[in-house]
Amino acid sequence: QSALTQPASVSGSPGQSITISCTGTRSDVGNYNLVSWYQQNPGKAPKLMIYEVTERPSGVSDRFSGSKSGYTASLTISGLQAEDEADYYCCSYAGNSIGIFGGGTRLTVL
Amino acid sequence: QVQLVQSGAEVKKPGASVMVSCKASGYTFTNYYIHWVRQAPGQGLEWVGVINPKDATTRYARRLQGRVTMTRDTSTSTVYMEVTSLTSEDSALYYCAKGDATWSFDFWGQGTLVTASS
């Protein structure tokens, strides 16, 4: 099974909003509302930012939001801050207790 | 507080096997899945597999099917992952992560670096 498709990089200026897409198929993103998003800083373990497409764990800023349409899930970060600069990964349930990650997106805050 | 503590770095020859452990604390071990995720140097995250500590059922990524085995010891709240027939493509940082029915991973171990090199 191929990785979910994410843009390799996105960038934005402080205060702006950016959106990272995550495109799958009818076997994963399109069939389940079990998409999560992770932020990873260099040398650190990933951190859960969004689960079940739109839900935010306790402690995650409300500047982070998630959505889904068809086979594509999206992570939006509003009011971009320098501390948001990191790699972001989506993950989807793909049925039969199998998971699949996206290839990752590097966010640069200009 | 929830903690997942993994075993230390390993260097193995190609063709050998490696076993990595993940000791859980701070929650009821049998109530949550443990997933393994790996990250090759400079690369993205790859889902490796999952074990249900309650009944030891497992599921593995197709790419590693037949070479990876996950087990658990409920007496010590520890999960083990063994990868056999190592190649250079298995060289990666291996993470264990706690999961639930939402198929998301809310707590992660610190990672274990596995290097397969002659």
Side-chain angles (χ1 to χ4, degrees):
Chain A
Q1 195 156 18
S2 301
L4 306 175
T5 300
Q6 296 182 232
S9 63
V10 298
S11 63
S13 299
Q16 287 185 328
S17 293
I18 63 95
T19 296
I20 299 171
S21 61
C22 169
T23 301
T25 69
R26 64 181 175 184
S27 298
D28 39 65
V29 175
N31 201 31
Y32 304 98
N33 288 323
L34 295 175
V35 176
S36 51
W37 288 90
Y38 302 86
Q39 177 191 66
Q40 187 179 35
N41 288 297
K44 302 291 188 182
K47 175 187 176 184
L48 178 65
M49 305 302 285
I50 295 287
Y51 66 98
E52 286 187 302
V53 178
T54 62
E55 302 300 305
R56 238 181 352 263
S58 171
V60 172
S61 170
D62 60 4
R63 296 186 299 104
F64 291 82
S65 62
S67 62
K68 191 185 89 166
S69 178
Y71 300 164
T72 298
S74 299
L75 172 71
T76 297
I77 308 173
S78 59
L80 208 56
Q81 298 179 1
E83 67 198 47
D84 299 331
E85 187 162 291
D87 293 327
Y88 291 84
Y89 294 90
C90 60
C91 181
S92 176
Y93 181 62
N96 293 316
S97 298
I98 296 290
I100 185 169
F101 277 96
T105 298
R106 176 148 297 175
L107 169 62
T108 300
V109 180
L110 301 170
Chain B
Q1 72 284 19
V2 175
Q3 277 194 305
L4 297 174
V5 179
Q6 300 183 223
S7 49
E10 301 269 9
V11 179
K12 297 290 184 181
K13 295 260 192 284
S17 300
V18 68
M19 181 171 281
V20 180
S21 67
C22 171
K23 183 174 175 60
S25 62
Y27 70 96
T28 302
F29 178 63
T30 51
N31 283 359
Y32 297 90
Y33 302 104
I34 291 289
H35 296 256
W36 289 88
V37 176
R38 72 181 182 179
Q39 186 170 35
Q43 303 300 308
L45 302 176
E46 179 183 15
W47 184 82
V48 174
V50 60
I51 184 168
N52 183 344
K54 181 176 293 185
D55 57 12
T57 52
T58 55
R59 191 72 173 166
Y60 308 125
R62 192 176 304 165
R63 214 158 89 98
L64 287 99
Q65 192 82 35
R67 295 199 300 120
V68 63
T69 303
M70 296 175 188
T71 57
R72 88 332 185 191
D73 181 343
T74 55
S75 69
T76 60
S77 299
T78 302
V79 168
Y80 300 90
M81 179 194 64
E82 182 182 32
V83 182
T84 61
S85 303
L86 289 167
T87 73
S88 59
E89 292 189 352
D90 296 314
S91 295
L93 191 56
Y94 286 75
Y95 292 102
C96 61
K98 171 178 164 285
D100 61 18
T102 68
W103 205 263
S104 60
F105 319 130
D106 57 354
F107 286 93
W108 295 65
Q110 83 275 22
T112 296
L113 184 63
V114 173
T115 304
S117 173
S118 53

